[in-house]
Amino acid sequence: MKKYTSINDIDNLTSWIEEAKELKENPLKHCALGTKKTLGLLFFNTSLRTRLSTQKAALNLGMDPIVMNVSGDAWGIEFEDGSIMNGSTAEHIKEAAAVVSQYCDMIAVRAFPSLKDKEQDEAEHVLKAFMKYASVPVISMESATEHPLQGFTDAITISENTKKKRPKVVLSWAPHVNALPHAVANSFVQAMQKMDVEFIITNPKGYNLNSAITKETTIEHDQIVALKNADFVYAKNWSSYEDYGKILNTDTAWMLTKEKLGNAKFMHCLPVRRNLVAEDAVLDSNASLVIEQANNRTYAAQLVLKKILENL
Amino acid sequence: MKKYTSINDIDNLTSWIEEAKELKENPLKHCALGTKKTLGLLFFNTSLRTRLSTQKAALNLGMDPIVMNVSGDAWGIEFEDGSIMNGSTAEHIKEAAAVVSQYCDMIAVRAFPSLKDKEQDEAEHVLKAFMKYASVPVISMESATEHPLQGFTDAITISENTKKKRPKVVLSWAPHVNALPHAVANSFVQAMQKMDVEFIITNPKGYNLNSAITKETTIEHDQIVALKNADFVYAKNWSSYEDYGKILNTDTAWMLTKEKLGNAKFMHCLPVRRNLVAEDAVLDSNASLVIEQANNRTYAAQLVLKKILENL
Amino acid sequence: MKKYTSINDIDNLTSWIEEAKELKENPLKHCALGTKKTLGLLFFNTSLRTRLSTQKAALNLGMDPIVMNVSGDAWGIEFEDGSIMNGSTAEHIKEAAAVVSQYCDMIAVRAFPSLKDKEQDEAEHVLKAFMKYASVPVISMESATEHPLQGFTDAITISENTKKKRPKVVLSWAPHVNALPHAVANSFVQAMQKMDVEFIITNPKGYNLNSAITKETTIEHDQIVALKNADFVYAKNWSSYEDYGKILNTDTAWMLTKEKLGNAKFMHCLPVRRNLVAEDAVLDSNASLVIEQANNRTYAAQLVLKKILENL
């Protein structure tokens, strides 16, 4: 594999899930595969799980992770072609990406969207620039529109926890005080579309995700109807896609409660705001899979690193 | 051992000191004990010695240290149970601690006190939350009220440098421009109470430490009287405990001078403000043990990590 | 070798270049030389290439790099002797350097100049303090007046790319919006003075570098004349040395263009501001060596680390 920047980079989700489960059973089986290979982790934004799980995955494979907070450790990077760089940016992505490629055998990048300019965000100008100018494989640790390590993790977690051949999975919009990206939701949708599940999205009007991603997936605006007989409920806030990046709805009635959850398992990518996105009774119950999701982040990342290492 | 958050976690200080000295003689003797084990170092506050010495200790044991500045690298953590998280905190400690436990075989935490709310500081709400919600051993790299890696280091250093069976040790309050925590002083008091030393504390009126910690230890308000015939003098500022977190005294006469030190050895945890806490003539003399104390931080931490590794 | 803080620490540049090329051919040949040795990388300023290439070099030798951003991770350091530390600095360099020496087998430091106080900058008070108080070897990762890892890298790159026995090398001042240090230019000058090249500097009037460094090197104020028949052109901005730290000239006509470059190879230490220092047509052409320079940073650093390791 030469890159991992989208759920679409997974050629066969079923077999990937099985391979990730094998890594989870025996995380150190390939502990020499990455010997003397460096993974550069470049963060344009904060990170807890992604930061730690990707380092752990690299260490399990014997790699040397090198972490860099781009904003704090270095300087402003220019992404525009042809610009006269007499402003605040000190280095062009053409040089930055090519240079990091000299020191790292693969580059993992986190770069959130502006949520102000839909076109620019959808162009994925940061991630795409790294893909264009880096001479080594690039991994997305969450880009403007996708979070493929999370989406793959979620697929693994559902596979591990389902008791049915074809479970019902609901992605339910949740309230939040900040305008959040669509990346986690998008990658979850894409992962579910590749799995043998009954999948439905529920969100308030005005909050439909990009239809180019949701495609034929049913969108139900009545949360109670959508949650009926669910086996897995994934709660997640996102800002409006149509009225791009705006908060149109702060109705706390969309919070996930134990009563609404019923017998379903609860999922969330974390960090989760308690008693806003989901109530304590949900998160503190045995129905919650959020910690196991966090655990699976390691093995999702480890499989991606392994597949790239095998092709270096 | 399942945790190290207090001098009280040391079952036998004498034997711990001997074991630490053995590690110092041969730091790499157990260099494979921690192979493929990760130590997460979480800093809510700045750090130099603790940051470097704990990493060095982990490396000596073959562990992989993963450092994270919580404030800069991630986001605000919520510690209140039941709160509706619609403010500035993005993740509850319940999730944060459980999640970090998925990636690290043990977690070391530094979290200073507010020095504003005595009850909250004494409740050690950050450290205790990690201890409660982490599923792996927790090590304190200085909490609101204790700095047990420093206290153990100080005990090792006194043991190495004493020429007497029962030396006289004085903990002497020192002036400072900022309001400082009680953690270093508290752990030093607790360590001395476990050692065969003649121990006395000297501080201005209004600066007595928590009596639940000082217990029967003599407190002498006349510094000159206290320092008489001392073998070791530990200078350290702390803010008032009684008038909690306040600076009541800025009398520079409490600075430790070469004259006052006499034939005693000088100790300080560092960082030390020269010519405020102690004069240059003290710090630049052969009587100063401060660099050796810093050196011993590695072996204190290494013994703690070793004891925890042996019980994983 | 006991330190590397200047091009003057290179005893024989020709043989160093050959040794560095050998490391580049076989970077892992000495991969166990640094086992269980730590390299402390202390950054008082931001860094991308130096940060990553020095870590990579250390890893290639089996060392454990420990990175610390001094300003963000720790506290203010005092450099004045005898000062009463009742201000904003919390630790004296005497303790800081001695302490870091307890945990690291060598210390690499980046500390830029103020560009306000020529005397203080030329005294190299930060780097010199580390050299004085550290008990382990010190490496400069760019000090107030020199960037010897870059200068050595540049010499390697010219040696690799020259087709002539004695190529013509031009250091050409370039426009910039900020006042920049002289370190890169100074070390490049010193490196060229040790190589068998025809070397000339071109800069506007008022921008002559320190004559104690340029010595007999020709300085030509007419850029077009200087560039004639050049084989290598190194573009770089620096602020005025005479009118210390000032920007006297913003004439964009000094920007390097493809036309001016002619058949020469283009060099720059990076980060480079496109269309200000050099136009896109230069940086995007095959004549540009800037990425190869960045690549050679690893082997320059690796040879320095190797020579120090062999003398520990």
Side-chain angles (χ1 to χ4, degrees):
Chain A
M1 204 163 61
K2 292 296 183 195
K3 73 167 181 96
Y4 184 72
T5 60
S6 171
I7 289 291
N8 294 325
D9 290 328
I10 302 177
D11 53 7
N12 183 327
L13 183 56
T14 307
S15 87
W16 277 48
I17 290 171
E18 291 315 307
E19 290 176 72
K21 287 179 184 173
E22 282 170 34
L23 287 176
K24 190 173 177 178
E25 283 295 308
N26 196 349
L28 301 180
K29 188 173 178 189
H30 309 277
C31 69
L33 183 67
T35 302
K36 292 292 170 190
K37 301 290 185 204
T38 53
L39 169 66
L41 293 94
L42 306 188
F43 291 99
F44 286 84
N45 306 94
T46 50
S47 169
L48 172 64
R49 265 154 295 281
T50 298
R51 182 183 294 272
L52 296 181
S53 65
T54 311
Q55 285 187 71
K56 177 73 175 176
L59 292 168
N60 281 347
L61 293 165
M63 298 184 79
D64 293 306
I66 299 180
V67 177
M68 202 172 146
N69 292 332
V70 181
S71 40
D73 294 347
W75 37 69
I77 292 182
E78 177 66 45
F79 291 92
E80 294 300 318
D81 273 345
S83 63
I84 298 170
M85 290 173 60
N86 56 8
S88 62
T89 57
E91 179 148 35
H92 200 281
I93 182 65
K94 289 187 187 185
E95 275 73 50
V99 160
V100 175
S101 302
Q102 306 303 310
Y103 314 129
C104 300
D105 295 285
M106 55 189 91
I107 300 172
V109 179
R110 163 163 286 197
F112 289 171
S114 66
L115 290 181
K116 281 170 188 154
D117 181 336
K118 187 194 275 196
E119 204 177 324
Q120 192 190 48
D121 288 349
E122 300 211 322
E124 292 281 8
H125 73 301
V126 177
L127 182 68
K128 287 278 168 65
F130 274 98
M131 290 164 69
K132 184 169 178 185
Y133 297 114
S135 56
V136 298
V138 171
I139 297 164
S140 166
M141 297 194 295
E142 188 172 343
S143 68
T145 67
E146 301 189 52
H147 194 351
L149 287 169
Q150 184 67 52
F152 178 36
T153 297
D154 299 333
I156 296 166
T157 309
I158 288 175
S159 168
E160 283 183 331
N161 286 280
T162 188
K163 288 165 185 158
K164 292 188 186 162
K165 197 173 176 326
R166 191 163 186 276
K168 178 176 174 184
V169 178
V170 183
L171 171 61
S172 180
W173 183 91
H176 207 281
V177 290
N178 297 327
L180 296 192
H182 309 94
V184 168
N186 286 345
S187 288
F188 185 71
V189 169
Q190 291 177 317
M192 290 307 101
Q193 288 168 344
K194 282 174 177 265
M195 277 186 95
D196 188 16
V197 296
E198 181 192 340
F199 180 50
I200 181 170
I201 305 170
T202 181
N203 55 250
K205 285 181 183 171
Y207 274 94
N208 284 10
L209 292 164
N210 183 352
S211 61
I213 288 169
T214 56
K215 292 175 183 164
E216 273 86 60
T217 298
T218 306
I219 298 169
E220 166 61 59
H221 295 305
D222 184 329
Q223 189 188 33
I224 302 302
V225 169
L227 293 175
K228 201 173 172 192
N229 296 323
D231 296 296
F232 296 89
V233 179
Y234 200 108
K236 181 77 188 79
N237 171 269
W238 58 85
S239 56
S240 176
Y241 176 76
E242 207 174 322
D243 194 357
Y244 191 67
K246 293 287 188 309
I247 298 176
L248 307 179
N249 188 321
T250 54
D251 184 0
T252 56
W254 277 83
M255 179 175 77
L256 205 72
T257 62
K258 193 81 181 74
E259 191 187 346
K260 287 188 205 169
L261 187 63
N263 294 316
K265 295 290 187 183
F266 175 75
M267 299 180 73
H268 191 280
C269 58
L270 303 182
V272 63
R273 285 174 176 249
R274 284 174 168 253
N275 303 311
L276 179 66
V277 167
E279 66 175 0
D280 281 341
V282 169
L283 283 154
D284 294 331
S285 75
N286 288 332
S288 173
L289 299 177
V290 299
I291 303 304
E292 198 55 34
Q293 280 174 273
N295 186 25
N296 285 335
R297 290 292 307 271
T298 300
Y299 309 104
Q302 195 173 333
L303 184 64
V304 167
L305 297 179
K306 177 173 172 281
K307 283 181 180 287
I308 293 176
L309 280 170
E310 287 166 346
N311 268 282
L312 279 188
Chain B
M1 202 163 61
K2 293 296 184 194
K3 72 166 181 99
Y4 184 71
T5 60
S6 172
I7 290 292
N8 294 326
D9 290 328
I10 301 175
D11 51 8
N12 184 328
L13 182 56
T14 307
S15 87
W16 277 48
I17 290 171
E18 291 314 309
E19 290 175 73
K21 287 179 183 172
E22 283 169 33
L23 287 176
K24 191 174 177 178
E25 283 296 308
N26 196 347
L28 300 179
K29 187 173 177 187
H30 308 277
C31 69
L33 183 66
T35 303
K36 293 291 170 190
K37 302 290 185 204
T38 54
L39 169 66
L41 293 95
L42 306 187
F43 290 98
F44 287 84
N45 307 94
T46 50
S47 169
L48 171 66
R49 266 154 294 281
T50 298
R51 182 185 293 271
L52 296 181
S53 65
T54 311
Q55 285 187 70
K56 176 75 174 176
L59 291 169
N60 281 347
L61 293 165
M63 299 184 77
D64 293 307
I66 299 181
V67 177
M68 201 171 147
N69 292 332
V70 181
S71 40
D73 295 345
W75 36 71
I77 292 183
E78 177 66 44
F79 291 92
E80 293 301 319
D81 273 343
S83 63
I84 297 171
M85 290 173 61
N86 56 8
S88 62
T89 56
E91 180 148 35
H92 199 280
I93 182 65
K94 289 187 187 185
E95 275 75 49
V99 160
V100 175
S101 303
Q102 306 303 310
Y103 314 128
C104 300
D105 296 284
M106 54 189 91
I107 301 172
V109 179
R110 163 162 285 197
F112 288 171
S114 67
L115 291 180
K116 281 171 188 156
D117 181 336
K118 186 194 275 196
E119 203 177 322
Q120 192 191 46
D121 288 350
E122 300 212 321
E124 293 281 8
H125 73 302
V126 177
L127 182 68
K128 287 279 169 65
F130 274 97
M131 290 165 69
K132 185 170 177 184
Y133 297 116
S135 56
V136 298
V138 171
I139 297 164
S140 166
M141 297 193 296
E142 189 172 342
S143 68
T145 67
E146 301 189 52
H147 194 352
L149 288 169
Q150 184 67 51
F152 178 36
T153 296
D154 299 333
I156 297 167
T157 309
I158 288 175
S159 168
E160 282 183 331
N161 286 280
T162 189
K163 289 165 186 158
K164 292 187 186 164
K165 197 176 175 325
R166 192 165 185 274
K168 179 177 174 183
V169 178
V170 182
L171 171 61
S172 180
W173 183 91
H176 207 280
V177 289
N178 298 326
L180 297 192
H182 310 94
V184 167
N186 286 345
S187 288
F188 185 72
V189 170
Q190 291 177 317
M192 290 307 101
Q193 288 168 344
K194 282 174 176 267
M195 277 185 97
D196 188 18
V197 296
E198 182 193 341
F199 181 51
I200 182 171
I201 304 170
T202 180
N203 55 249
K205 285 182 183 171
Y207 274 93
N208 283 10
L209 292 164
N210 183 352
S211 62
I213 287 169
T214 56
K215 292 174 183 164
E216 272 86 61
T217 298
T218 306
I219 298 169
E220 166 61 59
H221 295 305
D222 185 329
Q223 190 188 32
I224 302 302
V225 170
L227 293 176
K228 201 174 172 192
N229 296 322
D231 296 295
F232 296 89
V233 179
Y234 201 109
K236 181 76 189 82
N237 172 269
W238 56 87
S239 56
S240 176
Y241 177 77
E242 207 173 322
D243 194 356
Y244 190 68
K246 293 287 188 310
I247 299 177
L248 308 178
N249 188 321
T250 53
D251 183 359
T252 56
W254 277 83
M255 179 176 76
L256 205 72
T257 61
K258 193 80 182 75
E259 191 186 347
K260 287 187 204 168
L261 188 63
N263 295 316
K265 296 289 188 186
F266 175 74
M267 299 179 72
H268 191 280
C269 57
L270 302 183
V272 64
R273 285 174 176 250
R274 284 174 168 254
N275 303 311
L276 179 66
V277 167
E279 65 175 1
D280 281 341
V282 170
L283 283 155
D284 293 332
S285 76
N286 288 331
S288 174
L289 300 176
V290 299
I291 303 304
E292 197 55 35
Q293 280 174 272
N295 186 25
N296 285 335
R297 289 292 308 270
T298 299
Y299 310 104
Q302 195 173 333
L303 184 65
V304 166
L305 296 179
K306 176 172 173 283
K307 284 181 179 287
I308 293 176
L309 280 170
E310 287 167 346
N311 268 283
L312 279 188
Chain C
M1 202 164 61
K2 291 297 184 195
K3 74 168 181 95
Y4 184 72
T5 60
S6 171
I7 290 291
N8 294 326
D9 290 327
I10 300 176
D11 51 8
N12 183 328
L13 182 55
T14 307
S15 87
W16 276 49
I17 289 171
E18 291 314 307
E19 290 175 74
K21 287 179 184 172
E22 282 169 34
L23 287 176
K24 191 174 177 177
E25 283 296 308
N26 195 348
L28 301 180
K29 187 174 178 187
H30 309 276
C31 69
L33 183 67
T35 302
K36 292 292 169 190
K37 301 290 185 204
T38 52
L39 168 67
L41 293 94
L42 306 187
F43 291 98
F44 287 84
N45 305 94
T46 51
S47 170
L48 171 65
R49 265 154 294 280
T50 299
R51 182 184 293 271
L52 297 181
S53 65
T54 312
Q55 285 187 71
K56 177 74 176 176
L59 292 169
N60 281 347
L61 293 164
M63 298 184 78
D64 293 306
I66 299 181
V67 177
M68 203 171 144
N69 292 332
V70 181
S71 40
D73 295 346
W75 37 70
I77 292 184
E78 177 66 44
F79 291 92
E80 294 300 319
D81 273 346
S83 63
I84 298 170
M85 290 172 60
N86 57 8
S88 62
T89 57
E91 180 147 35
H92 200 280
I93 183 64
K94 289 188 187 183
E95 276 72 51
V99 160
V100 175
S101 303
Q102 306 303 309
Y103 314 129
C104 300
D105 295 285
M106 54 189 92
I107 300 172
V109 179
R110 162 164 286 199
F112 289 172
S114 67
L115 291 181
K116 280 170 188 155
D117 181 336
K118 187 194 275 197
E119 204 178 322
Q120 192 190 45
D121 288 348
E122 300 211 323
E124 292 281 8
H125 72 303
V126 178
L127 182 68
K128 287 279 169 66
F130 274 98
M131 290 165 70
K132 184 169 178 186
Y133 297 115
S135 56
V136 299
V138 171
I139 297 163
S140 166
M141 297 193 295
E142 189 172 343
S143 68
T145 66
E146 301 190 51
H147 193 352
L149 288 169
Q150 183 67 52
F152 178 36
T153 296
D154 298 334
I156 297 167
T157 308
I158 288 175
S159 168
E160 282 183 331
N161 287 280
T162 188
K163 288 164 186 160
K164 294 186 186 164
K165 198 175 175 325
R166 193 164 185 273
K168 178 177 175 184
V169 177
V170 183
L171 171 61
S172 179
W173 182 91
H176 207 282
V177 290
N178 298 327
L180 297 193
H182 310 94
V184 167
N186 287 344
S187 288
F188 185 71
V189 170
Q190 291 177 317
M192 289 309 100
Q193 289 168 343
K194 282 175 177 265
M195 277 184 95
D196 188 16
V197 296
E198 181 192 341
F199 180 51
I200 181 169
I201 305 170
T202 180
N203 54 249
K205 286 182 182 170
Y207 274 94
N208 284 10
L209 293 164
N210 183 353
S211 62
I213 287 170
T214 55
K215 292 174 182 165
E216 273 87 60
T217 297
T218 306
I219 297 169
E220 166 61 59
H221 295 305
D222 185 329
Q223 190 189 32
I224 302 302
V225 169
L227 293 176
K228 201 173 173 191
N229 296 324
D231 296 296
F232 296 89
V233 178
Y234 200 108
K236 180 77 188 82
N237 171 270
W238 57 85
S239 56
S240 176
Y241 176 75
E242 206 173 323
D243 193 357
Y244 191 67
K246 292 288 189 308
I247 298 177
L248 308 179
N249 188 321
T250 53
D251 183 0
T252 55
W254 277 83
M255 179 175 77
L256 204 73
T257 61
K258 194 79 181 75
E259 190 186 349
K260 288 188 205 168
L261 188 64
N263 294 317
K265 295 289 187 185
F266 175 74
M267 299 180 71
H268 190 280
C269 58
L270 303 183
V272 62
R273 285 174 176 250
R274 284 174 167 252
N275 303 311
L276 179 65
V277 167
E279 66 176 0
D280 280 341
V282 170
L283 283 154
D284 294 331
S285 75
N286 288 332
S288 174
L289 298 176
V290 298
I291 303 304
E292 198 54 34
Q293 280 174 273
N295 186 26
N296 285 335
R297 290 292 306 271
T298 300
Y299 309 104
Q302 194 173 333
L303 183 65
V304 166
L305 296 179
K306 176 172 173 283
K307 284 181 179 287
I308 293 176
L309 280 170
E310 287 166 347
N311 268 283
L312 279 188

